[in-house]
Amino acid sequence: MLKDKIVTESEIRNFYRISYLIFAFIIVAVFSIIIIRLYKIQVRMGEYYYDRAEKNFIQEVRLSPLRGRILDTKGRVIAQNRPSFNLFLTPAFVKNYRKTLESIDRLIGIPEERFNDIISEIKKKRGLERFKPIKILSDLNFDQVAIIESNIEELSGTEILMDSYRDYPLGELASHIVGYVGEIDKKMLSDRNKNQEIYKQGDIIGKRGIELSYEDYLRGEEGKEFILVDAKGFKVDSSEVKDFLKEKIKKFPPRQGADVYLTIDLDYQMELEKMFNVLDGGLIAINPVTGKIYALISRPSFSPAKLSQRISRTDWNNLINDPLKPLINKVTQDHYPPGSTFKIVPALAALDKRLITENTTSFCNGVFQFGTRPFRCWAKRGHGNLALHRAIVQSCDVYFYRLGDRLDIDNIYNYARMLGFGQKTGLEIDEETPGIIPNRDYYKKNKKFGSYHKGYAINSSIGQGDVAVTLIQLAYAYATLANGGKHIKPIIVDEIRDRENKVILKNEPEVINELNTDKGIIEAIVDGLYGVTSEPGGTATFQKYKVFGNDKRIKIAGKTGTAQVVEMRDGKNISESYMHKDHAWFVAFADVDNPEILVAVLHKHGGHGASGASPYVFNAIKLFYEKYKGMEFDKNINMRNVSFIESED
Amino acid sequence: MNTNYNRILNYTVLVLVSIGIVFIYSSSSVYAYKRFDNPEYFLFKHLLYVGIGLVAMVILSRTDYSVFKRHPYLIISICILLVLMVYIPKIGVIKNGARRWINLGFITFQPSEILKYGFVIYISYLISKSQEKISSFKGGFLPGLFVMMIVAVILLKQPDFGTTVLLLFTFLSLYFIAGTRLSYIFGLVIAAIPAVYYIIMRSPYKRARIMAFLDPEVHKDTIGYQIYESLISLGSGGLFGQGLGMSKQKLLYLPAAHTDFILSIIGEETGFAGVTVLMVFFLIFIIAGFRIALRARDLFGMYLGSAITIMFAYQVLINTAVVMSLIPTKGLTLPFISYGGSSIIFSLAGVGILNNIYLNSNNAVEDADALKTDLGVMVDRMARKGKV
């Protein structure tokens, strides 16, 4: 019985051996498929995967170059780099990030807004991203660093890393010149990387001023280093593996950025900033011959250091919504009717076109009647009979209305263009406003003003109506007269030197165009401008006296101007509130015989050009001669027995 | 020619376990150093498990396997209970979103490893008992199918898709060998397709695995990360590998480098040549296992031996196929090689059962036939005829 059973089983086994064979065949077949697949992956595609693997474990680390410095003409630092301590948190290494953040908050404080930002940022991190450190706080001071370091056990997963920060040791000084830096935004990223990928997200880039214009020089060249890393991105120091990859692990050091030397003189800039204490406006001091800018001030200023770091949303909004627009450069980015400072244009045009001579006289009774419309002189009683010289000195409107009437608007346009109005001066910082010089085409295109009529030319000739200029245009237009007709380009960067102190760029004075006119014509106009500050009845004579007294050593040629903010009625502003007060202009150069300094001021809502702007210009010129020419001036100016009349224009 | 297949089997296992020890050390040292400050952490633990496994193997070699035949219901019930224990709070352990482990205080292990053996013991018993009725659905196929269903539901709940598939394949293979109707087998496969589809689509992580499998490179940063890194590991090995210990991928690039994906590191360090040699060892093991099964003393022994061998064969094939991105990720270890206490201990225990089946077989009766039916010889012949 037992034997039978065994035989039966044996028979069954023999019967099913075929099943086993089939089964074994299937298994061998599957193994074969696997071997074939293995061959494909390892042998045929081996190199492909090897490359991929190499990209995995050899990581290219970018070595950021140290940004170049910005210095003044004498090599004093305006912008530099300094080490900063930043607090980082790596989500993967922190057990309870909320608790850790609360501890940090308790120890050194985290702004509430930032606190929530960090939490949402951490929440977004997934997978390997959680191994990347997130910056929690920037630029800790030494006390904060010490507090964090002594509590580091409680704050595991956080670390303090050193970075290089842009530093502006002079605070808000020269803020509109240097500008500021910041993290590159998406638009800049795509613009800058058009031809070659240079920037990466999170890079620091110049955002404004010299920092932006000379970005290419300041940035330097990034270096790179190849290091062996594990999957979490940590550096691996395995000598065995390093030897194996010796060829691949290399270091290319970064090239530091070049230093930009400005034409600005910090001493002068500093003193002018102290002196130019207006709420809103601009000042520019230049060498009228070379075009080099000595000082440039825009009010209100901003803090480059603050803007270069993570600025809070509230602070940013405050800055943007400030009615005084601190971020606008009042010297180059804001344009207004130039008022009487524009009178040199019709004067030049009329003389050059031989419509008048220096001796042609005209009678001013206080009003110029054009059809039914009266154009009034600022002096209600009129100036009487006068020629060009006295018309400039006294800034007679009627005289220039007549010139405007006889000149065509296109002539005013052409001569204005020759002096650089209506176009960018070519200053290398920030986007300039070209200003507006209307001509016939302008009124054809801008229908809202109605079609062209002569009234526009009459208005233009005293720098009102649609004419709008920037302060820098005004400065270089007057520099053209100081120069005897050479219209020059503004220079703000003197030279650029690389880290070996080798000069790699040097800006030389550049003449844009030269007035093709008699020297006598320019001399006649300059003589009139000299009269403005020196002759009885000159619109700025009194103000000049207040600064220089009877000192006649320096001959200053200048011109006042007042830009109407609200329409005047019968020569008077309707409103006396600050925002409705006129803008005051004054531009002057010295010495008339040997021009060395030109200063132009726009004092927004400063009232009349003489009282609102010219004192700053005279003081700036005085400072210049004291500082650079070693001249001394009488400090006590006798104000008694002064018989000058304060001018309104 | 009297070939001692048992000796071949044991030597092969020894070689495989040794290879495993070497590569667990190679692939885990960086991770162990980073995590536990001790590069030998996993090596020592694995050596301990191997020791326990060898003890289990010796004990089972000396234990007559007919003890299993006597208590099949008890065994399967205990196994199912153990698996159900993962749902008891404080005993069940959740790792990576799956309830697969139980913690008995002194040891944490995967009860599904025991269930594998309990299941094949039970099925072997079932088939050997109802051999005459194997062609009938009700008397032959259905009882097995019933247990299969219960086991599948419990395992899928954990979820442990890999083990479920492994047991389903083993189940079907056993019935195929036993000579059930092919229509049952294909019928079950066809019936299973909608169920599998439903299970995959319902679970986001399974769906993700499928997506990752279909295009590892596209999903390399997210769901396809592991499989993509696995291909990179394997591929960068080339023909002869980068040399022992020279894997770069083990620098934490490849998750589970010392467990489920150890073959990738072996491939990276020893190349195509090394992996092929490893596969040959597995093939030898499988052939030896079948030989032992075919000579078993009784039908139960034959089916049990076959089942254990088949299970090993499938697990090797599935793990290898996953690593090579031939099929989606399953979560199965490479037997004898991968790190993992439950895996190595129960694998060695399985070898112990095979040893005992051999020791209880009547060699003298079978050896005469052996030469003719030697699987190896048959395979050789087929290969020569160009069928492989």
Side-chain angles (χ1 to χ4, degrees):
Chain A
M1 194 63 194
L2 192 72
K3 206 165 189 280
D4 270 6
K5 177 110 172 139
I6 291 168
V7 170
T8 314
E9 285 205 3
S10 186
E11 274 173 7
I12 289 164
R13 277 179 221 188
N14 280 329
F15 178 75
Y16 289 122
R17 276 208 169 109
I18 190 72
S19 299
Y20 272 99
L21 282 179
I22 293 169
F23 192 71
F25 178 78
I26 293 170
I27 287 189
V28 170
V30 177
F31 265 104
S32 309
I33 292 170
I34 281 179
I35 297 293
I36 291 165
R37 169 81 178 177
L38 195 64
Y39 181 80
K40 195 186 160 199
I41 294 173
Q42 294 200 281
V43 182
R44 287 209 2 235
M45 292 183 72
E47 269 179 38
Y48 169 83
Y49 284 117
Y50 188 81
D51 269 10
R52 291 291 180 286
E54 206 171 84
K55 287 206 180 88
N56 253 352
F57 55 79
I58 295 185
Q59 197 179 66
E60 195 184 303
V61 178
R62 306 164 72 225
L63 302 173
S64 311
L66 209 55
R67 198 171 172 83
R69 297 173 301 166
I70 300 175
L71 308 103
D72 84 339
T73 187
K74 288 175 182 157
R76 283 164 298 200
V77 173
I78 304 175
Q80 63 185 12
N81 306 297
R82 64 169 170 80
S84 79
F85 301 95
N86 305 307
L87 182 63
F88 286 87
L89 181 150
T90 311
F93 300 150
V94 179
K95 272 198 190 115
N96 182 345
Y97 60 85
R98 201 175 280 272
K99 224 176 108 194
T100 306
L101 287 175
E102 275 161 9
S103 300
I104 296 170
D105 188 32
R106 183 167 44 76
L107 289 168
I108 57 171
I110 303 174
E112 198 177 323
E113 195 180 297
R114 181 88 196 104
F115 194 93
N116 297 328
D117 282 357
I118 298 164
I119 285 184
S120 59
E121 202 179 331
I122 294 172
K123 274 186 191 157
K124 262 185 255 159
K125 303 290 178 197
R126 292 272 181 278
L128 283 179
E129 274 193 321
R130 293 174 51 79
F131 287 90
K132 281 190 189 142
I134 296 172
K135 197 189 275 185
I136 304 291
L137 288 170
S138 330
D139 203 19
L140 304 183
N141 61 35
F142 286 112
D143 290 344
Q144 290 172 318
V145 172
I147 292 169
I148 294 292
E149 292 288 358
S150 56
N151 289 283
I152 202 75
E153 271 163 41
E154 183 185 347
L155 306 171
S156 69
T158 66
E159 59 188 328
I160 289 176
L161 297 175
M162 221 170 76
D163 197 4
S164 164
Y165 252 54
R166 201 61 168 164
D167 182 32
Y168 303 90
L170 303 172
E172 303 202 354
L173 201 79
S175 53
H176 285 90
I177 304 169
V178 281
Y180 56 90
V181 298
E183 236 173 64
I184 193 162
D185 57 43
K186 278 211 179 95
K187 194 184 169 297
M188 270 184 148
L189 199 62
S190 63
D191 286 355
R192 292 264 167 179
N193 288 345
K194 236 171 229 163
N195 303 319
Q196 195 192 343
E197 199 179 330
I198 300 167
Y199 293 88
K200 298 246 163 65
Q201 210 163 356
D203 274 6
I204 296 297
I205 190 171
K207 291 246 164 152
R208 214 198 137 93
I210 294 291
E211 295 275 25
L212 170 64
S213 315
Y214 284 84
E215 168 69 20
D216 293 344
Y217 289 96
L218 288 166
R219 178 180 163 76
E221 246 173 69
E222 168 175 291
K224 56 186 167 180
E225 185 183 14
F226 294 94
I227 58 164
L228 191 68
V229 292
D230 64 25
K232 308 274 150 82
F234 295 119
K235 197 168 170 177
V236 174
D237 279 315
S238 155
S239 56
E240 169 197 344
V241 188
K242 256 188 192 160
D243 286 346
F244 181 71
L245 296 163
K246 209 181 285 161
E247 284 305 299
K248 300 264 164 50
I249 305 177
K250 282 182 189 152
K251 192 174 176 178
F252 302 93
R255 261 230 336 258
Q256 297 191 354
D259 288 342
V260 174
Y261 286 78
L262 304 180
T263 57
I264 301 292
D265 185 317
L266 261 189
D267 284 341
Y268 195 42
Q269 171 92 19
M270 230 181 287
E271 287 191 47
L272 291 188
E273 294 224 8
K274 226 179 286 160
M275 182 270 293
F276 189 57
N277 54 353
V278 307
L279 201 59
D280 191 0
L283 179 151
I284 181 168
I286 66 169
N287 180 325
V289 180
T290 60
K292 286 185 180 177
I293 297 174
Y294 292 143
L296 188 153
I297 305 167
S298 175
R299 289 275 182 254
S301 56
F302 57 80
S303 163
K306 209 168 163 188
L307 281 166
S308 293
Q309 285 151 38
R310 204 187 284 265
I311 181 170
S312 79
R313 239 168 280 151
T314 350
D315 284 358
W316 178 249
N317 285 339
N318 286 347
L319 213 49
I320 286 194
N321 298 327
D322 189 329
L324 301 180
K325 297 189 169 63
L327 287 177
I328 298 282
N329 187 341
K330 305 292 163 46
V331 179
T332 63
Q333 297 183 307
D334 216 0
H335 64 185
Y336 298 99
S340 301
T341 58
F342 195 67
K343 285 173 182 165
I344 55 166
V345 176
L348 179 68
L351 287 171
D352 196 45
K353 289 270 165 199
R354 314 253 176 247
L355 292 179
I356 56 163
T357 67
E358 286 172 53
N359 304 319
T360 313
T361 58
S362 176
F363 188 79
C364 167
N365 63 355
V367 67
F368 170 72
Q369 201 65 33
F370 175 71
T372 55
R373 186 174 161 193
F375 283 86
R376 292 179 197 282
C377 189
W378 65 269
K380 276 178 224 153
R381 295 198 197 103
H383 290 100
N385 217 17
L386 36 58
L388 180 70
H389 181 82
R390 285 302 290 173
I392 293 175
V393 170
Q394 294 180 284
S395 200
C396 174
D397 290 337
V398 169
Y399 186 91
F400 287 96
Y401 289 143
R402 292 221 169 87
L403 289 190
D405 184 27
R406 292 178 64 193
L407 281 165
D408 190 81
I409 194 159
D410 284 351
N411 275 326
I412 294 174
Y413 172 83
N414 288 337
Y415 282 87
R417 298 278 300 185
M418 278 182 219
L419 290 170
F421 292 115
Q423 58 209 301
K424 291 174 185 178
T425 62
L427 181 75
E428 286 156 322
I429 52 171
D430 303 330
E431 196 61 26
E432 270 185 76
T433 304
I436 301 163
I437 302 298
N439 57 2
R440 276 200 161 73
D441 269 2
Y442 176 84
Y443 290 104
K444 221 177 268 171
K445 276 175 201 152
N446 294 280
K447 289 282 188 231
K448 65 172 175 170
F449 299 112
S451 57
Y452 173 75
H453 57 79
K454 228 174 199 164
Y456 287 124
I458 292 165
N459 236 344
S460 285
S461 65
I462 64 152
Q464 299 288 1
D466 300 314
V467 181
V469 308
T470 61
L471 188 63
I472 191 167
Q473 284 171 349
L474 196 64
Y476 282 87
Y478 275 75
T480 310
L481 299 181
N483 255 332
K486 283 186 189 119
H487 181 225
I488 48 173
K489 198 184 159 192
I491 299 176
I492 191 146
V493 169
D494 208 1
E495 56 188 30
I496 296 176
R497 293 190 205 161
D498 65 15
R499 282 292 156 135
E500 287 78 48
N501 217 26
K502 208 178 83 199
V503 175
I504 50 175
L505 183 138
K506 172 116 190 122
N507 275 323
E508 299 294 344
E510 193 184 321
V511 176
I512 297 170
N513 63 300
E514 200 165 348
L515 296 184
N516 186 18
T517 185
D518 288 349
K519 285 273 178 273
I521 291 176
I522 293 169
E523 272 165 26
I525 296 171
V526 170
D527 197 45
L529 297 175
Y530 174 50
V532 169
T533 70
S534 59
E535 286 175 23
T539 48
T541 306
F542 174 63
Q543 295 296 343
K544 194 215 161 197
Y545 178 82
K546 284 212 298 202
V547 177
F548 286 92
N550 281 319
D551 198 326
K552 294 273 175 4
R553 283 178 295 173
I554 298 160
K555 292 161 83 180
I556 301 171
K559 186 75 197 78
T560 52
T562 306
Q564 288 169 20
V565 172
V566 238
E567 190 83 11
M568 285 202 291
R569 209 162 280 165
D570 297 325
K572 278 210 168 151
N573 282 356
I574 307 165
S575 166
E576 284 298 316
S577 75
Y578 171 79
M579 290 307 277
H580 290 156
K581 272 176 85 178
D582 292 342
H583 299 323
W585 298 95
F586 192 71
V587 50
F589 58 88
D591 186 289
V592 170
D593 301 323
N594 174 28
E596 290 175 294
I597 176 78
L598 185 149
V599 182
V601 161
L602 164 65
H603 183 184
K604 287 181 76 181
H605 308 295
H608 299 299
S611 54
S614 78
Y616 301 111
V617 174
F618 289 129
N619 277 310
I621 291 173
K622 189 174 165 189
L623 258 170
F624 178 84
Y625 280 97
E626 278 173 352
K627 219 169 167 43
Y628 299 103
K629 302 293 160 188
M631 287 172 80
E632 279 175 30
F633 295 94
D634 193 357
K635 290 207 169 62
N636 302 307
I637 289 154
N638 184 9
M639 294 305 289
R640 268 176 294 169
N641 308 322
V642 176
S643 56
F644 304 115
I645 302 154
E646 169 118 44
S647 162
E648 277 186 25
D649 191 59
Chain B
M1 197 173 109
N2 193 347
T3 319
N4 187 336
Y5 285 100
N6 194 50
R7 192 171 287 169
I8 293 174
L9 183 89
N10 287 337
Y11 282 137
T12 311
V13 167
L14 215 61
V15 169
L16 288 171
V17 170
S18 306
I19 292 173
I21 291 169
V22 170
F23 283 98
I24 281 166
Y25 184 44
S26 171
S27 60
S28 72
S29 56
V30 173
Y31 177 59
Y33 181 71
K34 277 260 138 84
R35 181 127 184 237
F36 303 104
D37 219 19
N38 174 12
E40 283 93 26
Y41 180 84
F42 291 107
L43 174 70
F44 287 156
K45 277 190 96 170
H46 188 69
L47 286 174
L48 176 68
Y49 295 142
V50 169
I52 296 171
L54 286 173
V55 170
M57 181 174 145
V58 170
I59 292 171
L60 283 165
S61 301
R62 303 287 156 95
T63 311
D64 193 329
Y65 67 89
S66 51
V67 71
F68 303 127
K69 194 176 160 184
R70 285 198 292 275
H71 308 290
Y73 297 103
L74 183 68
I75 288 169
I76 189 80
S77 305
I78 289 173
C79 289
I80 288 175
L81 277 175
L82 276 172
V83 175
L84 287 174
M85 275 171 79
V86 300
Y87 296 103
I88 301 173
K90 288 193 179 152
I91 291 177
V93 180
I94 302 175
K95 277 191 212 168
N96 306 325
R99 278 178 180 275
R100 289 182 196 165
W101 287 263
I102 57 174
N103 183 358
L104 296 178
F106 57 97
I107 190 168
T108 302
F109 73 106
Q110 261 183 294
S112 59
E113 289 288 339
I114 298 189
L115 177 66
K116 278 193 212 166
Y117 290 96
F119 179 73
V120 292
I121 286 167
Y122 183 77
I123 295 293
S124 301
Y125 162 80
L126 218 56
I127 298 177
S128 60
K129 198 186 71 179
S130 56
Q131 182 67 60
E132 296 81 5
K133 301 180 277 182
I134 204 73
S135 302
S136 84
F137 185 74
K138 216 173 133 190
F141 196 64
L142 193 60
L145 184 62
F146 177 69
V147 178
M148 178 71 236
M149 290 299 190
I150 292 172
V151 167
V153 167
I154 294 169
L155 286 177
L156 286 174
K157 190 83 193 141
Q158 287 189 355
D160 189 346
F161 200 57
T163 308
T164 314
V165 169
L166 182 68
L167 291 185
L168 183 67
F169 280 9
T170 309
F171 167 80
L172 291 174
S173 303
L174 273 179
Y175 269 89
F176 171 76
I177 289 169
T180 194
R181 283 175 204 267
L182 286 178
S183 55
Y184 300 159
I185 292 171
F186 289 122
L188 182 61
V189 169
I190 290 164
I193 288 172
V196 170
Y197 180 82
Y198 172 74
I199 289 162
I200 289 169
M201 286 307 156
R202 200 188 45 154
S203 149
Y205 97 98
K206 286 206 185 72
R207 209 165 48 211
R209 279 183 171 182
I210 297 285
M211 299 305 291
F213 161 69
L214 292 175
D215 208 339
E217 194 145 3
V218 168
H219 299 103
K220 66 180 181 211
D221 291 327
T222 51
I223 48 177
Y225 179 77
Q226 195 174 30
I227 195 69
Y228 179 71
E229 294 298 335
S230 168
L231 283 175
I232 285 182
S233 282
L234 265 183
S236 57
L239 197 54
F240 295 107
Q242 304 193 4
L244 203 57
M246 298 305 283
S247 160
K248 308 302 169 310
Q249 290 294 109
K250 70 188 180 196
L251 300 174
L252 315 181
Y253 288 106
L254 183 62
H258 59 296
T259 59
D260 296 2
F261 281 78
I262 196 164
L263 189 65
S264 306
I265 302 294
I266 298 176
E268 191 183 349
E269 297 192 348
T270 65
F272 177 67
V275 179
T276 308
V277 168
L278 184 67
M279 289 298 124
V280 168
F281 277 118
F282 275 120
L283 213 53
I284 292 171
F285 173 88
I286 291 160
I287 290 165
F290 278 142
R291 286 302 312 179
I292 290 167
L294 271 170
R295 295 176 183 195
R297 178 180 60 194
D298 54 6
L299 271 179
F300 173 71
M302 185 184 89
Y303 287 124
L304 183 58
S306 306
I308 291 170
T309 310
I310 287 167
M311 224 156 48
F312 277 125
Y314 281 142
Q315 203 170 332
V316 170
L317 288 173
I318 291 172
N319 179 278
T320 312
V322 164
V323 166
M324 290 170 195
S325 191
L326 278 169
I327 57 170
T329 315
K330 283 285 172 306
L332 288 180
T333 54
L334 189 60
F336 307 119
I337 307 281
S338 288
Y339 173 84
S342 309
S343 168
I344 186 74
I345 291 170
F346 285 101
S347 295
L348 288 172
V351 176
I353 296 173
L354 283 174
N355 276 338
N356 187 259
I357 292 170
Y358 177 83
L359 290 173
N360 283 306
S361 64
N362 191 346
N363 289 325
V365 175
E366 298 295 328
D367 277 349
D369 267 355
L371 204 61
K372 277 180 229 160
T373 52
D374 191 327
L375 272 175
V377 175
M378 292 303 285
V379 169
D380 267 5
R381 279 186 200 150
M382 284 167 147
R384 256 178 259 133
K385 283 177 191 165
K387 282 183 182 169
V388 176

